[in-house]
Amino acid sequence: MTAALAPQPFVSVDEYLFCEAESDVRHEYANGQVFAVAGASADHELLVGAIVREMGNYLKGKPCKVTPSNLKLRIELNHADLFYYPDAMVWCDTEDNDRLFKRSPKVIVEVMSDYKTDHVEKLLAYQQVDALEDYLVVDQDFEKPKAWLYRRAADWKPIILGAGEMIELASIDFSIPLDALYED
C-alpha cells in the first residue's frame, strides 16, 4: 500500500507571483497548485544557450524578442491559470508587456531529456495560446540530434527532424541546421 499525498493548499495567482519573485527555486503553477521545477543538466543548458544565441542574433533589430527560461508563460485555460517556464520563447506583440510573464509568444522551445513523457501536457496547453505558431522540442542527447516541430498551420502534427536537417520556424522566418545547435 502506498501513502496518499496530502492535498496542497490552494495558492492564488497573486500569491504565486509574489512568492515566485522571492524564491530561489522556480515553480510552475497549475490552477492553484505549485510545483517545483527540476534543475537542468549541462547538455540542456548548452542547447538552450545555443538556441537563444542563434535566435537572438537573427532577431536583433527586429520587433520580435527571444528570452531564455527565466521568464514565465501565462495561459488562461477554461477558467484555470497555468504558468510554465519554457526553455525559450519568442514574442512579437508589443501589447504583451508584463514584466513577469508573457501571454502571446509566437514560438516556444523546450529542450527535453525524455520526449515521450515530458512533452504531452505542455503540447496540449501550448496549443491553447492563440499567438503560438511554432512549438519546437529539442532532444538533449548530443549523440543523436533530434527535434520535433509542431506548427499550428499543420494542425500540430509533428515534423520529426534528425541530423543533417533544417529547423524552419516559418512564424519568424528563421531557419538553422539542427546540427548547429549541438556544436561546441
Side-chain angles (χ1 to χ4, degrees):
M1 180 191 300
T2 60
L5 295 175
Q8 294 181 9
F10 179 86
V11 176
S12 72
V13 168
D14 289 338
E15 290 171 315
Y16 165 72
L17 291 172
F18 176 80
C19 292
E20 195 66 3
E22 302 296 318
S23 178
D24 292 333
V25 177
R26 293 184 316 166
H27 299 84
E28 293 185 336
Y29 177 93
N31 200 29
Q33 300 296 297
V34 177
F35 306 92
V37 176
S41 70
D43 288 345
H44 179 276
E45 292 301 291
L46 288 169
L47 283 164
V48 172
I51 291 162
V52 171
R53 180 181 60 250
E54 296 294 338
M55 286 183 170
N57 288 339
Y58 173 76
L59 294 171
K60 192 171 186 168
K62 296 181 168 103
C64 297
K65 305 294 179 215
V66 62
T67 58
S69 60
N70 286 322
L71 186 63
K72 293 177 278 305
L73 168 65
R74 182 177 188 171
I75 302 171
E76 295 172 83
L77 178 62
N78 298 328
H79 307 291
D81 284 291
L82 304 171
F83 286 87
Y84 292 110
Y85 283 97
D87 289 321
M89 285 190 290
V90 175
W91 79 96
C92 308
D93 182 355
T94 58
E95 301 295 315
D96 191 4
N97 56 13
D98 193 287
R99 66 180 191 81
L100 299 177
F101 55 83
K102 296 298 167 198
R103 295 176 186 259
S104 57
K106 276 190 143 182
V107 177
I108 293 176
V109 180
E110 294 281 5
V111 175
M112 296 187 177
S113 60
D114 186 357
Y115 170 80
K116 291 179 182 173
T117 59
D118 288 349
H119 84 288
V120 175
E121 173 192 337
K122 289 184 177 180
L123 172 62
L124 295 173
Y126 292 166
Q127 288 175 2
Q128 307 310 309
V129 176
D130 290 339
L132 186 66
E133 295 180 40
D134 293 308
Y135 173 43
L136 178 65
V137 179
V138 178
D139 192 307
Q140 70 176 317
D141 184 351
F142 271 74
E143 300 299 317
K144 298 178 187 170
K146 192 169 187 179
W148 297 262
L149 176 59
Y150 297 86
R151 291 187 174 134
R152 181 177 300 279
D155 292 326
W156 302 112
K157 291 179 180 72
I159 300 166
I160 302 171
L161 304 168
E165 295 187 276
M166 294 290 289
I167 297 170
E168 295 183 15
L169 303 176
S171 62
I172 58 171
D173 195 29
F174 173 79
S175 63
I176 188 170
L178 176 63
D179 297 339
L181 301 179
Y182 293 86
E183 294 174 354
D184 290 335

